[in-house]
Amino acid sequence: MILPETQTQTLKDLINRIKYRDQVYEDWGMASKTNRGFGITALFAGASGTGKTMAANVIAQTLNLDLYRIDLSATVSKYIGETEKNLKQIFDAAESGGVVLLFDEADAIFGKRSPVNDSRDRYANLEVSYLLQRLETYNGLAILTTNLKESIDPAFLRRLQFVVRFPFPDEAQRRRIWQRVYPETVPTENLNFKKLAKLNVAGGNIRNIALNAAFKAAAAGTEVTMAHLLAATEGEFRKLEQPLPSQEVADWLTTEEPQQAITQAMFSLDGVDWEDAMITEEELAEWRRKEQAEIAELKRQEREGDF
């Protein structure tokens, strides 16, 4: 994983807390100094795509434990008492099976308790209280991830042993991510990691772009090139309904790069007569301009409630 040294060291400390728990609590007698459970609860906070879920997977693999990702939609119930019952089954199974619990987007269930205005509020607060109590007695490792740390209940934050903030990667970190995104078995040609790192996106987006570019190259029967990565980047921003930051990708393609490679990377379809499909640089620029205009129009309609 590509993280700043502070966050990397915190993750190592978390792993060591589990690895040497028996030695410290049992052999050294520290268990007599605490009346809480011996488990660990950690919060991973950061924007989408910054590596929170990946870090949980890495920790589980390092500890040789299975990672159990909690489906909150199936856990939370509108019926009184059902949510607590579901959570009890999850914690009991996790303790007996020795797994790492991952509550993804935990703010949905560990949110701040609200003022009690009706019975629904009262039972919702009881659910949070039950979670706080159960986590204190849980003897395993529970990891929670959130994009909105401020929405987590303060009473819960006080009970955390670790809080790791996953920052948005800077240019140097993005360059390292790009350099490691492809295994050696993937054929590539003339990838410029310095230029790629200028694209201001999170690691999750980089992985999406790299994977889509690999499929485009496979369909075209070529190595992965900057042209494939540019086409995949345009697709990623189209998916996010955001305009492509042209200034960040302006120098990805050189004038020496064959125009046929650009066309193939854009379409990547079998059975296409590439001689007929060739487009000029002016046509390519016009295609991109129309695409960004369509995205802007969709956003305008969404703001004005036309959908």
Side-chain angles (χ1 to χ4, degrees):
M1 289 194 64
I2 309 299
L3 287 173
E5 181 58 33
T6 300
Q7 281 79 359
T8 300
Q9 185 58 52
T10 302
L11 294 179
K12 290 179 179 178
D13 291 343
L14 190 159
I15 292 171
N16 288 335
R17 180 75 72 93
I18 299 296
K19 290 176 65 176
Y20 301 106
R21 179 172 55 182
D22 290 344
Q23 178 180 344
V24 172
Y25 282 127
E26 302 299 332
D27 299 345
W28 292 2
M30 287 300 293
S32 62
K33 297 296 183 179
T34 179
N35 57 0
R36 296 184 177 180
F38 303 142
I40 306 297
T41 305
L43 177 70
F44 293 172
S48 178
T50 51
K52 304 182 295 296
T53 303
M54 177 182 286
N57 277 282
V58 170
I59 290 171
Q61 292 173 9
T62 302
L63 295 171
N64 198 26
L65 296 173
D66 291 329
L67 183 69
Y68 186 11
R69 184 171 180 174
I70 308 302
D71 182 359
L72 293 178
S73 63
T75 303
V76 178
S77 174
K78 65 180 180 180
Y79 298 106
I80 296 173
E82 284 298 309
T83 299
E84 291 90 330
K85 182 195 239 180
N86 294 337
L87 288 168
K88 182 179 185 303
Q89 292 175 346
I90 289 170
F91 280 110
D92 290 347
E95 284 185 327
S96 62
V99 301
V100 177
L101 287 178
L102 173 63
F103 292 89
D104 223 351
E105 299 183 5
D107 43 284
I109 195 169
F110 290 93
K112 295 178 181 178
R113 284 170 284 192
S114 59
V116 177
N117 296 319
D118 53 33
S119 60
R120 182 179 300 176
D121 293 333
R122 182 163 66 88
Y123 285 110
N125 289 343
L126 285 175
E127 290 174 359
V128 177
S129 298
Y130 174 81
L131 280 169
L132 296 175
Q133 176 188 354
R134 196 65 180 84
L135 282 168
E136 281 193 345
T137 59
Y138 177 58
N139 285 323
L141 171 59
I143 298 175
L144 299 91
T145 71
T146 179
N147 300 339
L148 302 169
K149 177 177 174 290
E150 60 275 10
S151 67
I152 298 293
D153 192 301
F156 172 71
L157 289 174
R158 290 193 295 269
R159 291 167 169 81
L160 294 171
Q161 285 81 18
F162 293 93
V163 176
V164 185
R165 293 171 177 82
F166 286 71
F168 197 89
D170 59 23
E171 186 170 333
Q173 292 165 343
R174 293 196 298 272
R175 183 170 183 173
R176 292 173 62 195
I177 294 172
W178 278 113
Q179 289 170 335
R180 299 185 184 186
V181 74
Y182 285 127
E184 294 181 358
T185 50
V186 175
T188 62
E189 181 182 6
N190 298 328
L191 300 189
N192 190 317
F193 298 114
K194 182 178 180 180
K195 292 180 179 180
L196 291 169
K198 293 179 181 179
L199 183 64
N200 192 28
V201 294
N205 300 112
I206 291 175
R207 286 188 294 274
N208 290 342
I209 292 169
L211 182 61
N212 290 334
F215 276 104
K216 289 179 180 295
T222 67
E223 297 86 358
V224 178
T225 66
M226 293 294 288
H228 296 116
L229 288 168
L230 177 59
T233 299
E234 291 173 335
E236 181 73 5
F237 276 83
R238 189 161 55 246
K239 177 188 74 177
L240 298 173
E241 296 186 348
Q242 295 179 7
L244 182 71
S246 55
Q247 71 279 7
E248 296 175 7
V249 300
D251 59 350
W252 281 21
L253 301 180
T254 62
T255 55
E256 291 80 13
E257 186 157 7
Q259 188 65 32
Q260 180 177 356
I262 300 174
T263 306
Q264 289 180 337
M266 285 177 59
F267 296 100
S268 297
L269 298 173
D270 293 331
V272 172
D273 186 343
W274 297 113
E275 295 298 327
D276 294 338
M278 291 294 290
I279 59 175
T280 66
E281 291 185 4
E282 290 76 11
E283 289 172 329
L284 178 62
E286 178 64 14
W287 176 78
R288 290 174 177 162
R289 186 193 66 77
K290 289 181 178 179
E291 179 184 48
Q292 293 186 13
E294 290 175 359
I295 293 173
E297 176 62 17
L298 286 172
K299 286 184 171 293
R300 183 197 66 78
Q301 293 178 4
E302 185 176 1
R303 286 194 307 269
E304 296 179 0
D306 291 349
F307 290 143

